[in-house]
Amino acid sequence: MSVQVEKLGNNMAKLTIEVSADEFEDAIVKAYNKLKNRISIPGFRKGRAPRLMIEKAYGKEIFYEDAADIILPKAYDEAVAECGETIVSRPEIDITQIESGKPFIFTASVALKPDVELGQYKGVEVPAVEVTVTDEEVDQEVKRQQEANSRTVEVTDRPVQDGDLIKLDFDGSVDGVPFDGGKGEDYPLTIGSGSFIPGFEEQLIGVSVGEPIDVKVTFPEEYHAEDLAGKDAVFACTVKSISYKELPELNDEFAQDVSEFDTLEEYKADVRANLLKQKEEQAKEAKRNAAVDKAVGNAKMDIPDAMVDEQVRRMIQDMSSRMAAQGITMEQYMMYTGMDQSKLEEQMRPDAVTRIKNSLVLEAVAKAEGIEITDERLDEEIGKMAEQYGMEAEQLKGYMGEEEKTQMKEDLAIQEAADLISDAAEETEEAQTEAE
């Protein structure tokens, strides 16, 4: 096999790959053995007809397509390894010669990893972030814990009030005609949550359990279901039950129940300390992101469209896997959001470009700074991962192949490059004003 590389513009290349006539002949034989049981030739049982008889009856080309499918993946992989280029897209294959007794020749149009011309990445200016925790923020966190430790009390002696939790039966219609998704039974609803159409929840205030009521609303003009947008609707409703949250009193006893502290003041002090720690981590991450953004903005690179296409494909694949874990298919997502494949791809392209630029620049910085991850540093990271999974480090390491370990080293080098850029960045009030 031989491969020739023709560099095109915008970091694209065309590989011309030639496979010997003998290798192509072997692929034809494999294709014949694969297909012969499906082909009927008069005078022969299926699977018994000689190859020459089949080719005479159907033409020599009958096995070409399957032979090409057999030979292409291996030949392409070998060509990629031989050419020495870093390919960052799926190939566009074009077969230029396919004939028995001759070499099999095809081309693969691919995107090549772009070179990066680094600009300033040390000492970039980023907005200064002041980290403080207010009394109001502490009170809000304590309030969240108070609500988390509330108990639900059922109401039997009064109608619905704002803030109540109710179970509701409803049946919606437009001009007397029911519509999809307009019916529910024992639906849990918090009055005042704004989870229903504007004006719906307010009309339930004052309604008693078992009392029927017609709730009249108008769907918003921007409603996701176009056939309902702007339409007047009537929901026949019945409140099935009413309850409310009873909050515990904020005192020392509450602090003892929800924490290791004896007094409410000690508990609030711990809440403040934890909020401060969270904000400091957030500020550190914000500085890191801002510094990397500046470094990326100062760099120059020419990203081929095919590389972006490949990144978008991976992002959609990751998204699909995450949704599948939640029991949602891509088809359902498309239906719920009104998206289609092209819209989704277009929506993801800016983020895909940003990810590519960040990765390329951080890789270039790691190379420029001589950042290399030792086996000891890798073992340290594997140990942290094993602890998270409740495994022994050697056990987890045994599950990993060399490719996974190499990828981990590359990821760690990128993280260290980002830390280097962030640590060297200068926080200035001027940058803060400019950012605002």
Side-chain angles (χ1 to χ4, degrees):
M1 189 203 74
S2 65
V3 56
Q4 294 180 343
V5 181
E6 179 186 356
K7 296 287 185 70
L8 308 174
N10 192 32
N11 286 304
M12 295 295 293
K14 183 169 74 172
L15 311 183
T16 299
I17 302 158
E18 181 175 320
V19 179
S20 71
D22 288 343
E23 287 183 71
F24 185 54
E25 176 63 24
D26 289 342
I28 292 176
V29 171
K30 290 177 182 177
Y32 160 69
N33 289 326
K34 173 185 173 184
L35 298 175
K36 63 184 180 180
N37 291 328
R38 308 178 201 169
I39 300 174
S40 297
I41 295 291
F44 295 91
R45 287 188 299 165
K46 276 190 177 181
R48 298 291 185 177
R51 172 183 154 191
L52 292 177
M53 293 296 295
I54 297 174
E55 290 178 338
K56 185 175 181 180
Y58 294 97
K60 285 187 175 183
E61 298 83 4
I62 185 172
F63 299 119
Y64 285 0
E65 183 177 346
D66 284 270
D69 290 341
I70 290 168
I71 212 167
L72 274 169
K74 182 173 180 288
Y76 174 73
D77 289 344
E78 290 178 355
V80 170
E82 183 178 321
C83 74
E85 301 289 346
T86 303
I87 294 171
V88 292
S89 72
R90 289 186 169 186
E92 289 187 11
I93 301 295
D94 183 27
I95 297 173
T96 58
Q97 179 169 290
I98 181 168
E99 184 177 347
S100 181
K102 293 184 179 181
F104 174 70
I105 303 174
F106 67 98
T107 62
S109 297
V110 295
L112 303 180
K113 186 176 182 178
D115 292 327
V116 176
E117 182 184 338
L118 289 173
Q120 181 189 7
Y121 61 87
K122 288 182 178 178
V124 296
E125 294 185 351
V126 296
V129 179
E130 183 180 355
V131 178
T132 59
V133 176
T134 66
D135 292 342
E136 183 182 1
E137 288 171 328
V138 173
D139 290 341
Q140 288 175 349
E141 180 60 28
V142 172
K143 179 71 173 175
R144 278 193 286 271
Q145 289 298 323
Q146 185 187 28
E147 291 181 351
N149 287 272
S150 65
R151 69 186 187 96
T152 301
V153 180
E154 189 169 357
V155 175
T156 57
D157 58 353
R158 66 165 174 79
V160 175
Q161 294 179 358
D162 191 21
D164 280 345
L165 311 173
I166 69 170
K167 286 188 177 179
L168 183 69
D169 287 354
F170 58 88
D171 193 355
S173 61
V174 173
D175 296 330
V177 179
F179 54 86
D180 290 340
K183 186 173 184 176
E185 293 183 356
D186 289 334
Y187 188 91
L189 176 64
T190 300
I191 302 300
S193 64
S195 54
F196 267 39
I197 303 165
F200 185 100
E201 295 167 24
E202 293 84 346
Q203 295 180 56
L204 296 174
I205 295 175
V207 177
S208 299
V209 171
E211 178 185 348
I213 179 175
D214 285 346
V215 174
K216 300 177 181 179
V217 294
T218 301
F219 283 98
E221 293 290 344
E222 300 81 17
Y223 195 65
H224 63 85
E226 295 182 3
D227 57 331
L228 297 175
K231 299 286 183 65
D232 293 330
V234 177
F235 287 84
C237 298
T238 303
V239 175
K240 301 291 287 297
S241 68
I242 305 172
S243 59
Y244 68 94
K245 284 185 179 180
E246 184 176 73
L247 302 177
E249 187 178 348
L250 293 178
N251 53 26
D252 292 345
E253 185 178 347
F254 168 78
Q256 294 164 14
D257 288 340
V258 301
S259 74
E260 59 186 21
F261 300 100
D262 294 326
T263 69
L264 183 61
E265 287 308 309
E266 289 175 324
Y267 171 58
K268 284 187 174 182
D270 184 64
V271 168
R272 183 182 295 275
N274 287 330
L275 287 174
L276 182 61
K277 185 177 180 180
Q278 291 174 18
K279 284 196 169 187
E280 287 173 343
E281 288 297 322
Q282 291 167 358
K284 182 179 178 181
E285 185 65 18
K287 177 187 176 183
R288 190 173 188 263
N289 292 338
V292 170
D293 286 346
K294 282 289 185 72
V296 170
N298 292 336
K300 295 179 181 178
M301 68 206 86
D302 191 5
I303 300 173
D305 289 340
M307 187 179 187
V308 180
D309 293 340
E310 179 65 13
Q311 180 66 37
V312 168
R313 185 191 66 79
R314 291 177 183 173
M315 289 167 62
I316 292 176
Q317 191 175 52
D318 289 344
M319 177 183 176
S320 178
S321 297
R322 290 195 304 270
M323 290 193 302
Q326 300 172 6
I328 303 172
T329 66
M330 281 299 290
E331 290 74 17
Q332 290 171 325
Y333 172 80
M334 298 289 191
M335 181 180 68
Y336 296 152
T337 60
M339 282 275 189
D340 58 29
Q341 186 73 17
S342 61
K343 285 182 181 178
L344 183 60
E345 290 174 357
E346 193 62 31
Q347 186 182 75
M348 286 188 166
R349 286 188 77 82
D351 188 28
V353 171
T354 298
R355 292 190 189 190
I356 291 170
K357 286 184 175 180
N358 286 357
S359 179
L360 290 173
V361 169
L362 291 174
E363 284 179 13
V365 170
K367 183 176 180 181
E369 295 292 331
I371 297 174
E372 293 184 1
I373 304 301
T374 63
D375 290 340
E376 291 75 17
R377 174 73 177 88
L378 177 64
D379 288 343
E380 180 185 334
E381 193 66 22
I382 291 175
K384 292 178 183 177
M385 290 175 59
E387 188 175 345
Q388 292 175 351
Y389 293 128
M391 299 171 60
E392 293 293 331
E394 287 302 316
Q395 182 185 14
L396 178 58
K397 192 174 179 179
Y399 291 145
M400 299 172 62
E402 290 305 315
E403 188 174 340
E404 286 86 356
K405 293 174 186 176
T406 300
Q407 185 61 56
M408 276 191 68
K409 283 187 175 183
E410 291 175 358
D411 292 342
L412 288 170
I414 283 177
Q415 291 174 25
E416 290 193 9
D419 290 339
L420 181 149
I421 294 170
S422 180
D423 292 342
E426 297 179 5
E427 294 181 290
T428 65
E429 295 298 330
E430 289 78 9
Q432 184 178 24
T433 304
E434 182 181 339
E436 291 171 352

